[in-house]
Amino acid sequence: MRYAMAVDTRKCVGCSDCVVACQTENNVPIGFCRDWIVEVTNGTYPQLEMELRSERCNQCVNAPCVRCCPTGASHIVDGGIVLVTHNECIGCGACMASCPYDARYPHPDGYVDKCTFCIHRIKNGLSPACVAVCPTKCLYFGDLHDPNSEVSVVLKKRKSKTLIPEAGTDPQLYFLI
Amino acid sequence: MTSRRDFIRITAMGAGVLVAGTAAYKVIKSLSSPEEVKKLVVDLKRTPTYCEVCFWKCAGWVYKTSEGKIWKIIGNDEDPNCNGRFCPRGTGGVGMYYDESRLKTPLIRVEERGKQVFREASWDEALELVSVKMKEVSAKYGPESMALFTHGSGSAYLSTLLKAFGSANIAEPSYAQCRGPRDEAFTATFGEEVYSPEITDIRDTKCLVLIGSHIGENMHNGQVQEMSDAIDKGATIITVDPRFSTAAAKSKFWLPIKPSTDMALLLSWIHEIIYNDFYDKKYVEKYCSGFDKLKEHVKDFTPEWAYGITTINPELIRKAAKEMADASPAVIVHPGRHVTWYGDDTQRIRAVAILNALLGSWGRRGGFYRPAKFELASYPIPAFKAPAKTWLDAFPGKYPIASLPVSNALIDASIPENKPEYQIKGWIVNGTNLISTIPNTANTLKAIQNLDLIVAIDTMPMEITGWADVVLPECTYLERYDALRAGPHRKPSLALRMPATEPLNDTRSDYWIARELSKKLGLVSYFPFEKQEDLLDWQLKKAGTSLDEMQKIGVKIFEREADDLYFAENEDVEFFTDSGKIELYSAYFEGAGFDPLPRYVAHDEPADGYYRLIYGRAPMHTFSRTANNPNLTDLMDENSVWINPKVAKEWGLKTDQYIWLKNQDNVMSDFQVKVRVTERIRWDSVYIVHGFGHAQKQMQRCFGRGVSDTQMITKVLVDPLMGGTGMRSNFVTFVTEKTEQEVVS
Amino acid sequence: MEEELIVSGRMNQMIDPHLHIWHWQISLYLFLGGMAAGILAIAALYFIRGRENDYKTAVRITPFIAPFLLVIGLLALFIDLRHKLFFWQLYTNIKLQSPMSWGAWTLMVITPVSFVWCALHIKDIFPNWDWKYKWLYDLEAFFNKYKKALAWVMLIYAIILGIYTGILLSAFNARPLWNTSILGPLFLASGLSAGAAATLVLSKDSKERKQFARIDLVLIGIELFLIIHMFMGFLASTQVQIEAAQLFLGGQYTMSFWIFVVILGMLIPALLEIMELGKFHIPVVIPAVLVIFGSLMLRFIIVYAGQVSRWLY
C-alpha cells in the first residue's frame, strides 16, 4: 500500500477550506496549521499565469525527518504515512530542520506535529478531512498501488509534478498541472 | 522496527555496552506500543444546521466531542447548496461560537452615542426600554418612523414584529449595496430575477463569462463547486476584470479591462453577436421583443469602438464573442452578485441580460434553469395593518423601479437636512454592521445622531453596536432554531437549523427576542407559539414531514412538480414582463423615464497620483462579520493593498511595508495597510479585500488590522433607477508618513 | 515578476516566515561540545604519545574544564527540548542515521570519561585530595592501570564528538547552507583550536605555550582552508547552495561572519601568535580569547544563517 495525494492546481481556488477543515478535524491549535495554500504568479500584466497549491506533508518515501529523528518518534507506517508518536518525541527540532517543505511544526504541548493524511479517518474508510471538504474537489487521495484508486486514475490521466524532487525525498504529494 | 538490526550492527561495531539493555527495553516497548490510529470520536447525536456565516445557507451537521464541546461542522451530503462540502467560512463557523469577544449580556448606553459606555442590563430591562422607546417614536411620529436593517435569518421574526408594529421599512443592505440592480435588470428583461442561490446552470455550461465577478474568491459554495465541475468537463471561462483574479487565472480569455468601461465591452459583444449572426435566431424570434431596435442601437458599437474605451484588443473581444456563440445556448454571462459599481448598474446588468437572451441561455441547459422552491405554509396570524407611509413616501418619485426598500434611502430619511417627507426616528439593526456596509460612513453617523432610538442585535460587538442605545446579544446559529430554509434550487428542498448546544452567556435567539418584544408591545398574537420548535413542527407537518424527522435528516429534497428544469423544445413560455416576452427593449424603463436600451456613459477617472479603489472578497471571510473569527483570522488577519509593480516603483513602495490610504476627498484611513506589490492588478487601480480595518476595540483580534474600504468610499454614485450605491468611483493615493493618527468611533 | 506566497496566512511558530527553531542553546552547545572535544582529544593524544610531562597543562589541567563545558552544554541542550519530560527517549534507541542519536550516545560515553580523567588528575590541582573511601581509591587504581585504554576511548569519542557537532547540521539537506560535509572537519578544527587556546591561557610553561600557539596556527590555517573550500563547493553547486553562500557573500550574515569569525576569530589571533612566536611580547590571553570567541561565533552564525537558507519560496 502506498498512500498519496494529488492536487489539481487547475481547479484549486486557494480558498483555504482544507486548512480550516484540518484544524477543526485534528484540533490543531489556532496559530498553527498542518496544511496551507501557496499562490505563485508569473509574468507581467497582462501576460500572467498563476498556480494555486494546497500543500501539506509530502509523506516522502525517503523521509529526512524520519532519518534525523534521534528517538524514533518519527516513523513510517504501513501505507507510507509519516507519523510522530507524541510520547516518544522530545521536541529537539531535528525533523523540522530536516524537512525541505517546512511541513512540521512544534505543537504547543511540546511534541512535533504534522499532517497524518488523517490516518484515523482513512482507517475508518473515510478520506482525509481536507479531501472530504474541498469545494472544488481538487484533492484526490488513495493508494498508488491500487490502479483503480482515485489518485492512481487521475495521475495516469493528467500531467503532474512534485515539489523540489531534487531534494531527493521522493515526495508523494502530486500536483496536477 | 529497526532497533533489532541496529542493535546487531552497533554491537558489531563495538559502539557501546549500554545498548543491550536499552534495545531490550525497546523491543518490549514496541510490543506494547499503541497504534497511531485514534478511535474516531463520533457523537452519534450530531445535529443539523444550516450555515449562517454567509447567505448561501449551506446545510450541514454539527459534531461534538464526547465531552459535548462543538468540534466541527461538516456539510450535509443531501444538500444541493453544498453537496456535503462546506466552504472555509462554514467550516470555520465553530470560531463564531468560540469567539471570546462575543456580546455576552444586554447592554444599555449610559453616555452619549458612540462613546461606547454601556452598563449591563437584564433582558427584561433592556427589552422594556426598547418597547417604551418604540412606543414613544410611534406616538410622536407614527409607527412607520421605525426602520429595520437586517441581514440573515433573524429577519424572519424581526420583520414580522416590525410589520405588526405598523412599519414596512425593512431594508436588507443586500439590495441597494449588492444585488439590487441585477435583480431589477433581469426582472425588467426576463420578468424574473436570478435568485439566491443563483439559477445559473454552471454545472453543465460550456462557457462561463464572469464580469467583475470573482467566483472562487467570493466563496458562493455551490457556484464554486459547479465552476470546478465545469472546468473538469472542459468548459471555457472568460473573465473580464482589471485584476488577475483567481477565476481569471483559470480562464481561456482574460480581458484586463479598464475599470468603469464594462458597458462598452458589453455593447460591443452585443454588436458582434448580432452583426455576425451569432445569436440564437429561433429563440430570439420566439421569445424576445425589441430585437430590431436593439440591432439599430448597437450598430456602431464595434470592437474597435470598444477598444478605444476599454483598452481591450478588438481581436480578443471578437474571439470571446465567438467562444460564447459557439457554446450557445450552454453559456452563462453571469449576472454577478455585488454589482453596485458606477451608478448605472441596472443598465449595465440589462446589457448582461440582453446578451444572455441573444445567446438563448435563459431556460436552457448550461444557461439558466427554472428554479423550484418549497412553499412553506404560514401559520395564520392576524393580518398586518397597511402602514400609513412606506419608505417611498419619504422621498416621493425617487428610485421608481426599486422593488425593495433601499437601505441608504432609509438612512437619508433619518437626516432632517435631507428634508424627507417624514423622518425615520428609530432603527433596529440586526446582523448587519451598517458602518462597514453602507458607504459614506459620515452620512450614516449623522443619521444615527438624529435618531430617538437605535437598537443593535448582533453576536459580536461590531462598530454599529457601539453606536446603539440598547445592544441585544443574539446567540450564534449554532445555538438556536431558526426559520426553515426553503430557497430555490433545481429541486425544492427544506433544511433545518437546530441548536447544537445551549446558548453561551446571556444570549438569546432572534425568535425569542422578537417574541418577548412583541409581548411588551402588545403584539404577541403575531407570535402564537411560545416555543419556536412548535411553529417549525407545525410547518413541517404541513410539508409532510416533522421536526422529529428533520432533526434526523437535516435536509429533505422534494421532487419537482413537473419535468421543466429547462424550456422544452418549442415550448410556449409566458414571461412575467408587460409584454409577456423577453424585453430586449424595455418599455418599462422607458415609461419610468430611463433609457430603454443600455447606453455607455463615461465615468470619472483618477487624477494623477490617484488610483481607482477596487475592493472584493477573500474566500475565508464574509464581509466584515468574520473579521474576528479565530479560525478565519488565522487564515487571513488583515487585508493588503495590491499595487502594480510599476506604480510601486514610482512610489518606492515595497511589499509588506505599511502605508495609509487617502481618498479623493482627503479622507485618510484610520489604520495602516500592508502593501502587496503584485502584477495581478492594473496600474490604474489598487485592490483591497473588503471587511477589514475595524475600529471597534472590543473585537480583540481584528481591531486596527488593515484598512476599511468603506471608509475610503465617500463618493457614492446612486443608481437613479433603484437606489443602488455605486462604490467604485473612489480614488486613493498612498501616504507613507502621517503626523497624527486619529481613530474614529 | 515572480511572486510566490502562502496565502492561507500560515505563521507556524518557529517555522514561519523562516525556520527559527534553534537558538542560542544549540549554538552554545555546539561550541561547548566542540571545545570540550578539542581539549579532551589533545589531552588524550599527548598522553598516548607519552608527552604527558612535556605538556602537563594540556594533559592534566585543561581537561578539568571539559566536564563543566559538557554539563553546561547538556543543560543548554535540555533547555532547548520542547518535550523535556521525554528526553530519556534518546536512550531507548540507537538511530544510526540520526546524528543527534550519535551525539546523545557519544555524550553518554565521553561525559563520564571526562570526569574519570579529571579524577585521575585531581591531585595536580588539589595536592591534599583525599578520596575518603577505599572503593574510590580502588577505582582510581583500576583506571590508572588502564589509563592508556581510557585515553584511547577518550580520543576516539572526543573526535566523534568534535565531528558530530558539524555533522549534526550537515545531515539536514533541507538547509542548503548546512548541507556540506565540510562542516564536520571545520567544526572539529574549530573545536581543537578552541581547546588549544584553552591550554594557551592556562599554561605557565613557555615551551608548552609556544607549542600550542603553533598548533593553533596550523588549525587556523586548516580552518581557513576549509572555509574557502566550503564556499568553492557552494558556488560550484546548485542554485539553492549558491543562494546559501550568498548569505555570507553580500547577504544578511556577511558582516558578522567575516568580521567576527574570520577576522577577529582567525586572522588577528593568527597574526598575534605569529608575532608572539617571533619574540614580540603579546599577552597570550588576547589571541586565545579571540580564538575561543571566534569559535563561538562560528557556531552561532552557522546555526542562525542555516535556518534562513532554504529550498522553498
Side-chain angles (χ1 to χ4, degrees), chain B residues 18 58 181 186 281 320 367 391 405 425 485-486 499 505 569 654 735:
Chain B
L18 286 156
C58 298
F186 269 74
K281 286 188 203 65
W391 69 279
K425 292 301 282 183
R485 189 201 76 190
N505 308 312
E569 192 72 24
K654 297 251 168 348
V735 177

Side-chain angles (χ1 to χ4, degrees), chain B residues 175-301:
Chain B
Y175 180 73
Q177 275 67 54
C178 187
R179 59 183 173 79
R182 170 191 95 174
D183 291 345
E184 301 304 350
F186 269 74
T187 307
T189 313
F190 296 102
E192 206 174 348
E193 56 160 306
V194 294
Y195 304 103
S196 172
E198 283 84 1
I199 53 174
T200 44
D201 199 15
I202 300 176
R203 187 175 72 184
D204 287 323
T205 197
K206 289 189 188 133
C207 178
L208 174 64
V209 186
L210 301 172
I211 301 166
S213 170
H214 45 331
I215 297 183
E217 282 157 287
N218 67 17
M219 206 58 207
H220 300 159
N221 196 344
Q223 259 183 50
V224 177
Q225 295 192 16
E226 293 201 10
M227 182 170 90
S228 194
D229 292 343
I231 291 173
D232 249 354
K233 290 185 194 166
T236 306
I237 300 174
I238 298 170
T239 304
V240 181
D241 206 314
R243 186 174 64 93
F244 190 62
S245 62
T246 301
K250 313 215 174 282
S251 298
K252 181 170 176 186
F253 298 116
W254 169 44
L255 285 67
I257 196 166
K258 176 172 161 183
S260 85
T261 66
D262 310 74
M263 183 73 102
L265 173 69
L266 287 163
L267 290 171
S268 74
W269 270 346
I270 295 174
H271 171 97
E272 271 301 286
I273 282 165
I274 292 181
Y275 284 89
N276 286 310
D277 281 345
F278 285 163
Y279 64 98
D280 189 333
K281 286 188 203 65
K282 239 177 93 184
Y283 184 94
V284 169
E285 238 164 64
K286 189 165 172 61
Y287 298 126
C288 300
S289 71
F291 178 75
D292 295 337
K293 283 182 191 153
L294 175 69
K295 186 170 178 179
E296 177 57 26
H297 177 70
V298 299
K299 194 172 64 192
D300 300 327
F301 301 144

Side-chain angles (χ1 to χ4, degrees), chain C residues 24-33 36 64-80 107 111 115:
Chain C
W24 64 268
Q25 298 93 328
I26 292 287
S27 313
L28 181 68
Y29 157 71
L30 292 180
F31 162 71
L32 295 174
F64 275 90
I65 313 172
F68 292 103
L69 298 181
L70 289 172
V71 168
I72 296 169
L74 280 169
L75 206 65
L77 207 54
F78 181 73
I79 291 170
D80 173 70
L107 285 164
T111 312
F115 274 98

Side-chain angles (χ1 to χ4, degrees), chain B residues 667-733:
Chain B
V667 172
M668 182 89 87
S669 62
D670 281 347
F671 306 107
Q672 284 181 294
V673 64
K674 218 185 208 173
V675 169
R676 173 179 174 189
V677 178
T678 179
E679 293 283 359
R680 291 183 58 195
I681 184 74
R682 247 177 96 102
W683 55 87
D684 54 6
S685 310
V686 295
Y687 172 78
I688 56 176
V689 169
H690 169 75
F692 289 88
H694 278 279
Q696 171 61 276
K697 284 202 177 87
Q698 291 174 45
M699 289 199 284
Q700 297 155 14
R701 238 172 254 101
C702 67
F703 169 76
R705 306 300 309 261
V707 72
S708 158
D709 53 318
T710 313
Q711 193 192 11
M712 294 289 99
I713 298 170
T714 50
K715 184 175 165 196
V716 182
L717 300 177
V718 178
D719 192 329
L721 284 86
M722 49 62 69
T725 50
M727 298 185 250
R728 294 267 164 95
S729 251
N730 289 266
F731 311 110
V732 295
T733 191

Side-chain angles (χ1 to χ4, degrees), chain A residues 8-17 19-27 29-34 39 41 43-52 71-73 75 77 83-88 116 119-121 123-124 126 130-138 140 158, chain B residues 26 29 33-40 65 71-74 83-89 91-92 94 215-217 219 221 224-229 231-232 241-246 249-250 254 256-257 619-620 630-632 634-635 642 644 646 676 678-683:
Chain A
D8 191 344
T9 60
R10 277 190 352 207
K11 290 201 285 179
C12 177
V13 294
C15 72
S16 313
D17 202 1
V19 183
V20 215
C22 172
Q23 283 179 324
T24 54
E25 174 71 35
N26 296 300
N27 292 314
I30 298 286
F32 296 93
C33 57
R34 291 178 176 185
E39 175 192 307
T41 313
T44 307
Y45 192 97
Q47 261 78 49
L48 292 170
E49 47 183 55
M50 182 169 94
E51 182 176 277
L52 286 161
T71 68
H75 61 291
V77 294
L83 296 178
V84 182
T85 310
H86 296 169
N87 57 10
E88 284 180 27
T116 63
I119 189 166
H120 62 289
R121 286 174 60 92
K123 293 271 166 170
N124 285 291
L126 301 165
C130 53
V131 177
V133 82
C134 177
T136 65
K137 289 170 223 138
C138 77
Y140 300 86
R158 296 269 302 274
Chain B
K26 178 74 189 171
K29 203 172 73 165
S33 104
E35 233 312 50
E36 272 289 327
V37 187
K38 286 182 272 175
K39 242 190 128 240
L40 257 187
T65 60
W71 170 29
K72 60 177 181 179
I73 313 172
I74 302 292
N83 307 301
R85 291 160 185 266
F86 263 21
C87 85
R89 299 161 303 158
T91 310
V94 287
I215 297 183
E217 282 157 287
M219 206 58 207
N221 196 344
V224 177
Q225 295 192 16
E226 293 201 10
M227 182 170 90
S228 194
D229 292 343
I231 291 173
D232 249 354
D241 206 314
R243 186 174 64 93
F244 190 62
S245 62
T246 301
K250 313 215 174 282
W254 169 44
I257 196 166
M620 50 290 258
N631 294 73
L632 300 179
D634 211 22
L635 300 173
W642 296 23
N644 184 283
K646 286 194 190 79
R676 173 179 174 189
T678 179
E679 293 283 359
R680 291 183 58 195
I681 184 74
R682 247 177 96 102
W683 55 87

